[in-house]
Amino acid sequence: MSTPDLPMEKVATMVPAQAGGHRYALALLLAASTLSAVDRQILNVLVEPIRRDLSLSDTQIGLMTGLAFALFYATMALPLARLAERMRRPLLLGGCMALWSLFTMVCGAAQSFVQLFVARVLVGVGEAGSGPASHALVTDITPPEKRARALALVGSGQPLGALIGLACGGIAADAFGWRWAFVLAGFPGIVLALLMLFTLRDPRPAIGADDAVPSAREALGVLGRKFSFWMFVTGSSFVSTTTLAFGAFFGSLLIRNHTPELEALAARFSPGLGATSVVGAMLALAFGAAGALGVIVGGMIADRLRARDPAAYLGVPALASLASTPCFVAAAMIAAPLTALGFLSLGIVISSFAMAPVLAGAQSIVPVRMRATTSAVLFLIVNFVALGVGPLSVGILSDAIGGADGLRLALAWSAIGGPLAAVAFWAGRPALVRDFEA
């Protein structure tokens, strides 16, 4: 199998000149990451209009925002990653993007919970093929000392997509209805899929990474012996459970408890806006702008610290997860909506420090022909746990507690993911140093 890292002069020639080189490749992958997040996150700001229109319970919302996506996103990630190890990755990326964009538009035609659930499952199927192949491409074309920053750049598409999806989704819902919001969100992905198919080439042949692909059993055997990888997985699962629970329900918390204040705030900007637009803008600030800032800063910090301490790829996520916990608790419990938004934004910034070092660390401890598989295993477990458990558990707990404070208390309880993540990340630091050396 190929060695994980390559000389810089080899890296510089990986991406074909006619495709615009390294920057063009990163720009396309950033755009793909952004649109995937738009299609994924827009549902969170449309929860209340959909709930009223389709008469859904909080448990059904938890299923729809979490398990419906995670069900096939998690289970399809690994087989699609194995396919990415063998075929031209831009072809896989373009096809998957076309699939998830199409079914995002189909969500707007749903007439029942079952129809919307199935459409969201198929969105998850499409997006399952995006992350692993994208991360492997970024790692292949970037030298090790800049890897966290490059992955942070592409990863920042997730919060940027959340910003666009939540802000524009709320405005579109107030202006045209929630059904058209889905249609408008899905269409750009079809265009980008064509660009991906016809202008981006796979760099693997140029870097001599055309050796035999290890079998799934061999790849899992390699990962099974790397304790640091499983601490990346465990810590990411815990911290993502918290952030995804807030992403699914924080907008509902604001609308249920502060609709008059939100409508008054909307009226200051435009008579045509409503509470949904304001909530969309607030969520966009927290999960979009704040999240993008955290991802990029976290990547820069991790690359700088790694030069002195390779274990920084786990140390930074550990400290960030712990420090973000009180912010999430405050965001759930404070009654003033703007103050709660401030604490949520701070929590998202800090917790997002973990994303780039986790991806860079996991990709850097495995051979070239295992990178998509490694990312898929990471995402399979993290998304199955975080998407499947986070929103659903908050919905069930909210329904069980009941009353005006049920959702507030359920969200506050979900912040326990931060301390648990910190313990897991910190425990893997010694093993990460050994895995880098190996």
Side-chain angles (χ1 to χ4, degrees):
M1 291 186 291
S2 302
T3 55
D5 297 327
L6 295 155
M8 188 178 299
E9 63 273 14
K10 193 73 170 177
V11 172
T13 62
M14 291 179 192
V15 183
Q18 61 266 38
H22 183 259
R23 292 181 180 178
Y24 179 79
L26 290 182
L28 273 188
L29 295 172
L30 170 60
S33 176
T34 300
L35 289 182
S36 74
V38 169
D39 293 352
R40 187 187 313 180
Q41 294 288 339
I42 193 171
L43 179 61
N44 291 336
V45 76
L46 303 178
V47 161
E48 285 302 298
I50 294 172
R51 184 178 68 87
R52 292 192 296 266
D53 194 10
L54 301 183
S55 301
L56 305 182
S57 68
D58 278 349
T59 299
Q60 288 176 311
I61 291 171
L63 284 167
M64 183 177 63
T65 57
L67 189 60
F69 185 87
L71 187 63
F72 277 87
Y73 184 92
T75 55
M76 290 299 295
L78 186 55
L80 286 172
R82 299 300 301 163
L83 190 60
E85 307 287 20
R86 292 173 168 82
M87 67 176 291
R88 192 166 71 88
R89 287 170 291 185
L91 178 62
L92 179 66
L93 283 167
C96 287
M97 184 179 301
L99 179 66
W100 88 60
S101 300
L102 174 64
F103 279 99
T104 295
M105 292 189 284
V106 169
C107 287
Q111 300 296 319
S112 67
F113 167 73
V114 173
Q115 292 177 3
L116 188 57
F117 185 92
V118 171
R120 291 300 292 176
V121 164
L122 292 172
V123 171
V125 171
E127 294 201 12
S130 174
S134 178
H135 298 155
L137 273 170
V138 173
T139 306
D140 284 355
I141 65 176
T142 308
E145 64 273 13
K146 297 181 180 180
R147 195 164 285 161
R149 277 169 284 182
L151 286 165
L153 175 64
V154 174
S156 68
Q158 293 296 302
L160 288 174
L163 188 155
I164 296 169
L166 294 169
C168 296
I171 294 172
D174 281 339
F176 309 111
W178 64 267
R179 297 183 183 279
W180 275 105
F182 278 119
V183 174
L184 294 173
F187 179 75
I190 303 296
V191 177
L192 186 61
L194 295 175
L195 281 175
M196 190 77 69
L197 287 169
F198 292 108
T199 68
L200 187 64
R201 293 187 180 179
D202 198 308
R204 272 196 302 238
I207 62 176
D210 54 357
D211 53 324
V213 178
S215 68
R217 181 176 180 179
E218 290 171 336
L220 292 176
V222 172
L223 292 178
R225 294 189 294 272
K226 294 183 181 292
F227 181 75
S228 63
F229 173 76
W230 297 105
M231 293 303 97
F232 280 127
V233 169
T234 303
S236 298
S237 297
F238 281 130
V239 73
S240 296
T241 297
T242 298
T243 57
L244 290 172
F246 272 84
F249 280 104
F250 189 75
S252 291
L253 179 68
L254 293 176
I255 290 177
R256 294 181 197 183
N257 293 282
H258 304 289
T259 295
E261 300 103 295
L262 296 172
E263 290 177 342
L265 188 60
R268 295 181 185 179
F269 295 97
S270 173
L273 297 181
T276 305
S277 296
V278 175
V279 169
M282 295 172 76
L283 293 177
L285 287 173
F287 291 94
L293 176 63
V295 170
I296 293 173
V297 172
M300 295 172 64
I301 291 174
D303 271 344
R304 183 175 295 272
L305 293 179
R306 180 191 179 275
R308 299 193 301 268
D309 178 16
Y313 279 169
L314 277 166
V316 171
L319 297 176
S321 300
L322 187 62
S324 67
T325 301
C327 299
F328 286 117
V329 174
M333 299 306 297
I334 289 177
L338 292 181
T339 305
L341 174 67
F343 277 105
L344 176 63
S345 299
L346 182 59
I348 294 296
V349 167
I350 298 172
S351 65
S352 295
F353 284 4
M355 181 178 180
V358 164
L359 292 176
Q363 291 281 295
S364 297
I365 59 176
V366 298
V368 172
R369 283 286 191 171
M370 275 185 54
R371 283 174 173 163
T373 301
T374 298
S375 187
V377 173
L378 173 67
F379 273 80
L380 186 156
I381 300 172
V382 170
N383 282 286
F384 190 81
V385 173
L387 277 171
V389 174
L392 180 58
S393 62
V394 168
I396 292 173
L397 186 58
S398 173
D399 285 339
I401 296 173
D405 290 328
L407 183 55
R408 189 183 302 279
L409 293 172
L411 278 174
W413 172 251
S414 74
I416 190 66
L420 296 175
V423 172
F425 284 136
W426 197 261
R429 294 174 71 254
L432 180 59
V433 177
R434 294 194 299 271
D435 289 338
F436 272 133
E437 293 172 350

